[in-house]
Amino acid sequence: MLIPKLEILQIHGMDELKEIWAYQFSISDEVNACMLTKIEVKECDNLVNLFPTNPMSLLGRLEELHVSECGSIEVLFDMDVSCIGEIEEFGSKLKHIKVYRLGKLRELWRMKGESSSDILISSFQSVQCIEIYDCERFVNVFTPTVTNSDVRTLMNVSIDGRRP
């Protein structure tokens, strides 16, 4: 169950935590009213899924995402297009993505199922800054489904093997 008025979610030092939300997350009025503007997750070494396969209803007001020292996360947004459904009504205000010391992180976005760049365009077109530090396995900021129009607001991308 989601707390609809929660604006900032901070999770620190929970080594046994494997997922924050259920892997498959159904859309409901409670979730549509999600007020989260910032998510900060730190030192959760067994966390595998940061978001469910259908994260769109959680992203409506989210502006900042900071993830650090979570050694099991391979992808931030591991989305299954077939689970997303009515994507048109969801957009995102996500502006800043900062990740560091994620030992297994390989990519930011992964799209499974039917290929549709429209989902990525409407979901992440507000991103202005991406910072990636000390993620030795990191490979892709932009996947083949990301086009120039998807990232038109992007102003800063920083990738460094060292922690800031």
Side-chain angles (χ1 to χ4, degrees):
M1 177 173 217
L2 190 66
I3 303 167
K5 296 192 185 238
L6 185 68
E7 293 182 21
I8 297 173
L9 176 64
Q10 294 178 320
I11 301 173
H12 295 193
M14 295 188 66
D15 283 334
E16 300 304 314
L17 183 68
K18 293 188 182 196
E19 58 186 27
I20 298 171
W21 292 280
Y23 188 66
Q24 291 196 358
F25 201 63
S26 61
I27 297 172
S28 69
D29 290 336
E30 274 185 316
V31 177
N32 292 344
C34 182
M35 300 296 283
L36 280 172
T37 59
K38 180 177 181 180
I39 296 176
E40 182 179 305
V41 180
K42 179 175 158 180
E43 298 171 358
C44 298
D45 211 34
N46 287 311
L47 184 64
V48 177
N49 295 319
L50 190 59
F51 293 101
T53 57
N54 178 2
M56 306 320 296
S57 55
L58 296 169
L59 301 178
R61 296 177 192 242
L62 188 66
E63 294 181 14
E64 293 182 55
L65 176 63
H66 297 203
V67 185
S68 62
E69 302 175 80
C70 297
S72 297
I73 295 176
E74 293 183 23
V75 61
L76 287 187
F77 300 98
D78 193 4
M79 298 165 47
D80 187 344
V81 177
S82 62
C83 292
I84 291 177
E86 297 177 12
I87 190 69
E88 298 81 23
E89 65 186 74
F90 296 107
S92 173
K93 294 181 180 178
L94 185 60
K95 293 178 182 150
H96 189 185
I97 298 171
K98 181 177 181 178
V99 296
Y100 65 91
R101 298 191 68 194
L102 301 183
K104 292 185 179 179
L105 184 72
R106 297 188 56 77
E107 52 195 334
L108 295 182
W109 295 281
R110 183 181 295 159
M111 303 288 281
K112 297 177 188 169
E114 299 174 23
S115 178
S116 176
S117 62
D118 292 343
I119 291 169
L120 207 51
I121 291 168
S122 64
S123 305
F124 300 103
Q125 66 185 359
S126 297
V127 175
Q128 297 174 358
C129 180
I130 298 172
E131 297 178 61
I132 302 166
Y133 298 101
D134 202 10
C135 298
E136 63 267 3
R137 292 187 183 177
F138 189 74
V139 185
N140 288 326
V141 173
F142 306 109
T143 63
T145 58
V146 178
T147 65
N148 290 337
S149 62
D150 298 349
V151 290
R152 62 182 163 263
T153 59
L154 190 60
M155 294 186 281
N156 182 24
V157 175
S158 299
I159 302 173
D160 194 333
R162 296 170 285 140
R163 186 175 175 187

